[in-house]
Amino acid sequence: MTAPRLRFAPSPTGPLHLGGARTAMYNWALARALGGAFVLRIEDTDCERSTDASLQIILEGLRWLGIDWDEGPELGDCGGGAHGPYFQMQRLGLYREAAERLLASGHAYRCYCTPERLAELREEQKANKSPFIGYDGRCRDLTAEQCAAHEAAGRQPNLRFRMPTDRVIQVHDLIRGDVEVNTRQLDDWVMVRIDGVPLYNFACVVDDIAMAITHVVRGEEHFLNGIKQLLVFEALGHEAPRYAHIPLILNAKGAKLSKRDPGVKSVLEYRDLGYPPEAVFNYIALLGWGFAADRDVFTRDEMVAAFKIENVGKAGARFDLEKLHWMCGEYVRRWTVEQCVERSRPWLEGVVPADVLAPGGAHQGWLRNIVACYQERVQILSEFGDKIGWLFADPTELDDGAQKKMQKHGELAPEWLRAFAELLAAGNAPPSWPADRSAADRAVRLPSPSGGQAQGDAPPPATDCPFDTPAAIEAQTRAFCDQRGIKFGHFVHPLRAVLTGTDRGPGLFDVVFLLGKETCIRRANK
Ligand code: GLU
């Protein structure tokens, strides 16, 4: 039995989108599931559009998702395998040789038609509403003398593949099942351009043969290319690999992705926005494939163990941003708070003061408490940075929600807030404070800032809260409201508004606890 060998063959002409990442992932997973090799081949024959920048973006995107290759770029001189080089522009000799064989066997021919003639032909076919749009075969049967005459006139040929005119090709696609295509609808396509550079369908087959590829998983848009390629395999006397053409990714409404759809973002844009890579990996895996009816969250290893290409669906997979966000949240919640702090660090920079952010600094407990308050509330890591600015700078204005809440109790609110400031300033704990940690008491599931103090650290500036726990502050505040005959449910809204500038965020008493006495008094009095 031949060893399974799969490949991902991107053209470095743009970023790695989710669709490309999915193709890479399914090839990778199948290679790993079958115990075979996963090859990364760079199809860079479109010299005008291929760039090193795109290549780097693709490689970085794959690395970020944890899709590693056994052979290909950046794996030492020979690319980690015996089938290199892994860039098509470094393999031109192989294509030349194969093209000569196909010319000799009559499967290829020289075409001297000029670009102008081909453009006219296309216009004509369109104007006549011809059912067939494509090359009309004018040079298909040129004699050696006719070719020589063209060359003598200084014309160089493109090489075209001679397609059978009326043959039914039967293919078994691992996803689409048995399909028949009549070659009538396919024209004689250009294999090698005048400048000697091969085009995709030809170079791809030469490489799939030379690299001993056994399975090809790629997007459905290549299905008809697959028919052309099968004929090249046949012409070169080689068995074709097994094909699996995966359905398109559609938008949430079931339509083709447009340029503005979030589904067409580059993988690295997701990275920069703070989507956890393992969540993005997990989500992409589900675009057309299912792990289990009752489970959507799984690890890379679990995917490999369960992956069968036959189980990829035939219908287009819908890209659902909400589900991707949900998936990210699932991962964020599985981390320890320390992991959350570490992984959100790049997005905390610039929001959290450097001395608070400094690893091993005096404020680590406080920082952990802050992050812990948001762990249940964020889905992507940049949200940590986006949501916590109010902790470090007094709000200069109230957002719409907060303003509404203030207006509702407009006359009484200033009086309540002044009294609350006095309460904090006094800061005496009544003996009835709950000793246990209530459900609302999430902020202190970590060593609290006072714990830091007990170990001899300098007390962080904003953790001078006179109470031990958010629950204790809440109990005190309820008692305070009772005494004054204020409805607790009314009181909390203006308080949150002035403390945070918004009407959303963590539990109000987590807020008070995190801000600390001085800051709360200042903001309440203001
Ligand atoms: N370079 C082609 C692409 O990026 C590869 C298609 C294939 O896998 O054969 O679409």
Side-chain angles (χ1 to χ4, degrees):
M1 241 181 61
T2 38
R5 289 176 57 82
L6 290 96
R7 68 357 175 240
F8 176 53
S11 305
T13 52
L16 180 69
H17 296 296
L18 288 194
R22 180 186 61 164
T23 301
M25 182 188 295
Y26 285 4
N27 276 292
W28 171 89
L30 188 56
R32 297 285 173 263
L34 298 173
F38 176 58
V39 178
L40 179 59
R41 179 172 80 219
I42 306 302
E43 302 204 325
D44 55 355
T45 58
D46 184 344
C47 300
E48 269 167 31
R49 293 173 58 227
S50 296
T51 64
D52 188 56
S54 292
L55 172 67
Q56 296 311 324
I57 289 170
I58 293 168
L59 300 183
E60 187 50 34
L62 294 174
R63 275 192 293 257
W64 182 67
L65 288 169
I67 298 173
D68 56 335
W69 51 99
D70 306 310
E71 299 173 29
E74 305 200 331
L75 296 177
D77 284 347
C78 56
H83 299 83
Y86 295 91
F87 290 82
Q88 287 190 324
M89 285 308 283
Q90 295 171 22
R91 303 170 63 83
L92 294 180
L94 276 173
Y95 312 129
R96 206 172 305 126
E97 221 173 87
E100 270 157 26
R101 277 178 56 199
L102 293 182
L103 272 174
S105 64
H107 288 98
Y109 63 88
R110 295 183 176 83
C111 169
Y112 296 91
C113 291
T114 59
E116 294 74 28
R117 170 176 190 254
L118 296 173
E120 266 169 39
L121 175 65
R122 221 179 355 259
E123 286 313 313
E124 219 176 275
Q125 287 170 338
K126 274 198 216 151
N128 296 340
K129 300 209 163 52
S130 160
F132 174 83
I133 308 265
Y135 185 57
D136 60 356
R138 177 186 273 193
C139 296
R140 211 172 145 97
D141 298 307
L142 293 183
T143 61
E145 290 72 33
Q146 287 169 315
C147 289
H150 278 298
E151 312 251 340
R155 288 180 212 119
Q156 292 296 310
N158 286 305
L159 298 190
R160 284 188 190 269
F161 189 80
R162 189 188 303 274
M163 292 289 282
T165 44
D166 187 11
R167 184 175 145 195
V168 175
I169 310 283
Q170 288 161 334
V171 274
H172 179 77
D173 189 280
L174 293 171
I175 294 170
R176 299 169 61 133
D178 292 320
V179 187
E180 286 187 351
V181 176
N182 192 307
T183 55
R184 256 188 314 223
Q185 53 174 299
L186 302 169
D187 68 349
D188 291 351
W189 44 277
V190 175
M191 291 168 27
V192 183
R193 284 195 319 235
I194 288 179
D195 59 6
V197 176
L199 294 189
Y200 159 65
N201 277 313
F202 176 58
C204 173
V205 173
V206 173
D207 286 341
D208 283 344
I209 292 173
M211 294 180 177
I213 299 302
T214 56
H215 300 70
V216 169
V217 180
R218 64 186 167 200
E220 168 173 282
E221 67 276 16
H222 286 296
F223 181 76
L224 281 181
N225 285 329
I227 302 293
K228 296 178 184 174
Q229 293 176 15
L230 280 176
L231 291 164
V232 182
F233 277 104
E234 187 184 273
L236 289 171
H238 273 272
E239 207 182 311
R242 309 184 73 186
Y243 285 123
H245 288 96
I246 48 183
L248 290 178
I249 298 181
L250 307 171
N251 67 20
K253 293 195 187 112
K256 257 181 125 173
L257 289 179
S258 75
K259 279 207 176 104
R260 268 161 283 117
D261 272 305
V264 302
K265 269 200 188 106
S266 154
V267 163
L268 293 190
E269 278 183 72
Y270 288 105
R271 178 196 65 181
D272 297 343
L273 289 168
Y275 289 69
E278 48 281 68
V280 177
F281 179 100
N282 193 153
Y283 181 72
I284 294 176
L286 290 172
L287 287 172
W289 177 77
F291 178 75
D294 57 351
R295 206 176 131 198
D296 275 345
V297 182
F298 45 84
T299 66
R300 218 178 287 277
D301 288 348
E302 286 175 322
M303 178 197 181
V304 168
F307 190 73
K308 288 202 175 62
I309 194 73
E310 294 81 358
N311 293 349
V312 172
K314 286 192 187 67
R318 290 186 190 212
F319 177 80
D320 176 352
L321 189 64
E322 246 174 63
K323 180 154 183 188
L324 170 58
H325 282 183
W326 168 83
M327 181 72 77
C328 293
E330 287 294 301
Y331 277 85
V332 169
R333 275 183 276 295
R334 280 159 204 235
W335 295 338
T336 63
V337 178
E338 282 75 9
Q339 282 173 318
C340 273
V341 172
E342 280 325 303
R343 299 193 56 167
S344 55
R345 212 170 260 285
W347 293 276
L348 299 179
E349 274 165 15
V351 178
V352 178
D355 61 324
V356 176
L357 199 54
H363 309 303
Q364 291 304 288
W366 187 41
L367 186 59
R368 279 201 300 270
N369 279 345
I370 292 170
V371 169
C373 273
Y374 279 94
Q375 190 173 4
E376 307 276 336
R377 294 164 190 275
V378 307
Q379 294 173 316
I380 63 178
L381 297 171
S382 52
E383 286 180 274
F384 279 113
D386 295 344
K387 286 183 193 274
I388 65 176
W390 59 268
L391 273 148
F392 308 101
D394 289 358
T396 49
E397 53 186 32
L398 306 185
D399 71 12
D400 288 350
Q403 269 181 36
K404 274 194 198 120
K405 292 276 162 63
M406 276 305 264
Q407 280 154 12
K408 220 167 160 188
H409 310 286
E411 281 157 32
L412 295 170
E415 170 59 31
W416 294 350
L417 293 169
R418 249 190 308 278
F420 184 71
E422 277 161 26
L423 168 79
L424 287 187
N428 293 320
S432 59
W433 277 4
D436 62 328
R437 291 174 175 180
S438 73
D441 194 8
R442 280 193 322 280
V444 287
R445 67 184 174 181
L446 305 159
S448 70
S450 54
Q453 244 172 301
Q455 288 158 24
D457 294 345
T463 53
D464 53 355
C465 186
F467 310 121
D468 282 345
T469 65
I473 307 168
E474 178 172 351
Q476 181 78 345
T477 309
R478 282 184 187 277
F480 161 85
C481 286
D482 282 352
Q483 273 166 22
R484 291 172 185 247
I486 307 169
K487 275 213 171 104
F488 181 74
H490 291 173
F491 175 77
V492 291
H493 296 302
L495 182 57
R496 175 188 289 283
V498 297
L499 293 184
T500 68
T502 155
D503 61 341
R504 278 151 300 154
L508 177 60
F509 298 97
D510 290 344
V511 164
V512 174
F513 181 79
L514 289 173
L515 284 173
K517 181 163 86 174
E518 290 304 324
T519 304
C520 286
I521 292 173
R522 186 176 63 246
R523 293 187 187 180
N525 281 332
K526 194 173 157 201

